Amino acid sequence: MSEKLIVNNEKCKVIKKAPMFAYMERGITLIALIITIIILLILAGVTINVLIGENGLFNTASHAGEKYEEAGAREKLEAVLIELQTDKITKPQDYNENEYIDNKLKDNKMTVNGDIVFVEGWQFVIDRGVPQIIGSLGRGEKEEQIQINITSVTTSDYVKANIKIEITYEKEIEEIRLNGKNIEVPNKQEGKYIIEEEVLENGIYSVIAKEGENKYNIASVTIEDLTEDMKIYTSEQLKQFSDMVNSGRTFETRTVEVMNKIELNGKEDNQW
């Protein structure tokens, strides 16, 4: 219904014009739609990245599942190794670090390849001397092109040994472990990773070098010349101790116990 205006006693129609903002509303609505679409695209990109990105929920959940499986396999191996530690004490006539350990592991449905034990697809490195786990290799494969050279030098007082490790590989090494201990990966020197470590105990020292999670190699060196704690029961052992001291070997930080009364003529009295 149009409005009417009386001018000089005559009726005139007043036509209303649409206000300026009525036209602007259509433009604003289109801009708002475009902005909304852009925001939705951004949110979609963020959501996808959160879900399937490198550190996304799917990958995080997958890694967590793998860690859980690895922990379960490790627990099974540790249980068998604890049994072996008990057998080492209670069955000294049967126990040895080779066939006995291998047979025990195989009886528990584990595969053995040297010092590497496969449990449900997961690989672990063991120290047969204890025995115990000293490293985890994940589900990777051995890469012979990762060359590891280990040498050791015992100090003149036989208190410590210096281990030198040289690793040669055309690609980048991402992880190095020595008996399970993580070692910072050094910069390459003339195509080699060179590490020097000082050790104070005799034993087998195993080095694991890994490229990512898939490829690795392992090498070991045995240290057996270092001075250890001694318990002397016989005159022969006392003479052995005397010879070691006279040769320059020191027993600093070590404990030497004479368990019997030993006469200089070589007789022992275990009642002392």
Side-chain angles (χ1 to χ4, degrees):
M1 181 177 179
S2 60
E3 296 184 12
K4 295 181 179 180
L5 178 65
I6 299 176
V7 181
N8 296 329
N9 297 321
E10 292 185 9
K11 294 180 179 179
C12 300
K13 288 184 179 180
V14 178
I15 300 174
K16 283 187 175 182
K17 291 186 177 181
M20 182 66 68
F21 66 83
Y23 296 100
M24 294 175 61
E25 283 179 354
R26 296 194 188 106
I28 292 174
T29 302
L30 183 58
I31 293 172
L33 179 60
I34 294 172
I35 292 173
T36 302
I37 292 172
I38 293 172
I39 292 174
L40 289 174
L41 290 173
I42 294 172
L43 291 175
V46 171
T47 302
I48 291 171
N49 186 61
V50 168
L51 290 175
I52 63 175
E54 183 178 351
N55 297 315
L57 294 177
F58 290 161
N59 281 343
T60 301
S62 176
H63 291 158
E66 289 180 355
K67 290 294 183 184
Y68 179 80
E69 291 178 4
E70 183 179 8
R74 186 185 187 96
E75 186 176 338
K76 290 180 180 180
L77 177 55
E78 286 176 339
V80 177
L81 294 178
I82 289 173
E83 288 184 31
L84 285 166
Q85 291 172 13
T86 303
D87 292 348
K88 184 178 180 179
I89 297 172
T90 60
K91 302 177 181 178
Q93 69 280 6
D94 300 323
Y95 182 89
N96 63 70
E97 296 179 3
N98 299 307
E99 292 84 2
Y100 191 93
I101 291 179
D102 288 351
N103 291 335
K104 189 82 166 183
L105 293 170
K106 291 174 182 178
D107 288 344
N108 284 271
K109 299 180 180 180
M110 300 175 185
T111 304
V112 185
N113 182 7
D115 292 333
I116 300 175
V117 182
F118 296 78
V119 185
E120 298 176 350
W122 297 95
Q123 304 174 65
F124 302 93
V125 184
I126 63 169
D127 177 357
R128 290 174 175 268
V130 178
Q132 65 180 359
I133 298 173
I134 59 173
S136 174
L137 300 174
R139 281 181 165 162
E141 59 178 310
K142 194 170 185 179
E143 175 56 82
E144 297 293 347
Q145 292 185 6
I146 301 176
Q147 299 177 12
I148 306 174
N149 181 49
I150 312 177
T151 56
S152 65
V153 177
T154 303
T155 56
S156 59
D157 57 4
Y158 299 92
V159 171
K160 59 187 177 182
N162 295 312
I163 296 176
K164 185 176 182 179
I165 306 164
E166 294 184 357
I167 302 172
T168 306
Y169 190 49
E170 59 182 5
K171 298 180 182 179
E172 296 298 318
I173 294 296
E174 297 182 14
E175 182 179 350
I176 300 173
R177 289 182 174 272
L178 177 63
N179 275 21
K181 184 184 82 171
N182 192 46
I183 296 175
E184 183 178 354
V185 179
N187 295 324
K188 276 186 177 180
Q189 300 179 23
E190 299 180 354
K192 296 181 179 180
Y193 299 93
I194 300 176
I195 303 107
E196 294 188 8
E197 289 286 317
E198 182 180 279
V199 297
L200 303 175
E201 302 288 341
N202 290 322
I204 299 173
Y205 290 86
S206 297
V207 176
I208 302 169
K210 298 178 70 175
E211 177 210 340
E213 296 182 357
N214 298 320
K215 296 183 179 180
Y216 69 88
N217 205 353
I218 181 171
S220 301
V221 64
T222 301
I223 307 295
E224 53 188 1
D225 295 330
L226 299 182
T227 300
E228 296 181 310
D229 294 344
M230 285 188 67
K231 289 185 177 181
I232 300 174
Y233 293 89
T234 67
S235 57
E236 288 79 9
Q237 291 174 333
L238 181 61
K239 183 179 184 305
Q240 181 185 18
F241 170 70
S242 175
D243 291 341
M244 287 190 289
V245 173
N246 291 334
S247 68
R249 187 184 292 262
T250 177
F251 283 78
E252 184 179 357
T253 74
R254 302 298 182 184
T255 300
V256 179
E257 298 179 78
V258 179
M259 307 305 294
N260 295 330
K261 182 179 179 181
I262 300 175
E263 301 291 342
L264 294 179
N265 59 9
K267 294 181 180 180
E268 297 90 31
D269 181 5
N270 57 17
Q271 300 300 318
W272 182 57

